[in-house]
Amino acid sequence: MYVEEVPDMVTTIRTDSSNTRFQELVTALDAEMAVRDGEDHAFYAPFNKTDNMKFVVLACKGEEAVGCGALREHSGKVMEVKRMFVPLQHRGKGIASVVLLELEKWAREMHYEQCILETGANLPEAIQLNTKNKYVVIPNYGPYANKANSICFGKQL
């Protein structure tokens, strides 16, 4: 396990999907997305499974997990960012950017050249996060190719 101190007393931890704090955050994420996605939630759920994810980053304040994200190999030199989440009470503090930057750093260390991700058009805060971190809109890929509610982003590492 790799641990790094970051500003504002947030620590990032590299782990995998067996981590119970990650599983708790993903449960909260899924509950929020079930409401926000509405009838589209059933479409997205199969693409958000966390079984056997090898590359998970947790942001923690002390023992409390305050954010998470993961990487999944997409193809060749491309990693897909998955399961980004910060609980409501911790939003607006830069935690999601800390997680995203740590995921990018990890991908670079493994010699990946690009990160891609999908988010929903109904998630303006996620769109803002991606734009702030220099992600650009790319053509929708894979299962999101014909999904009007999906916006896909990419960033060269």
Side-chain angles (χ1 to χ4, degrees), residues 80-97:
E80 184 178 21
V81 176
K82 303 293 290 180
R83 312 292 26 216
M84 289 288 300
F85 181 68
V86 174
L88 186 59
Q89 69 271 26
H90 297 291
R91 292 181 189 166
K93 301 173 184 171
I95 295 168
S97 288

Side-chain angles (χ1 to χ4, degrees), residues 99-139:
V99 171
L100 187 55
L101 293 172
E102 184 63 22
L103 289 169
E104 292 172 9
K105 180 179 176 184
W106 201 354
R108 274 192 306 276
E109 289 170 7
M110 295 184 292
H111 306 288
Y112 286 88
E113 297 172 357
Q114 183 182 27
C115 282
I116 60 172
L117 59 89
E118 180 276 340
T119 195
N122 62 338
L123 299 171
E125 60 273 63
I127 294 167
Q128 182 180 11
L129 169 74
N130 299 331
T131 303
K132 178 175 90 173
N133 285 285
K134 299 182 175 33
Y135 280 75
V136 296
V137 175
I138 60 173

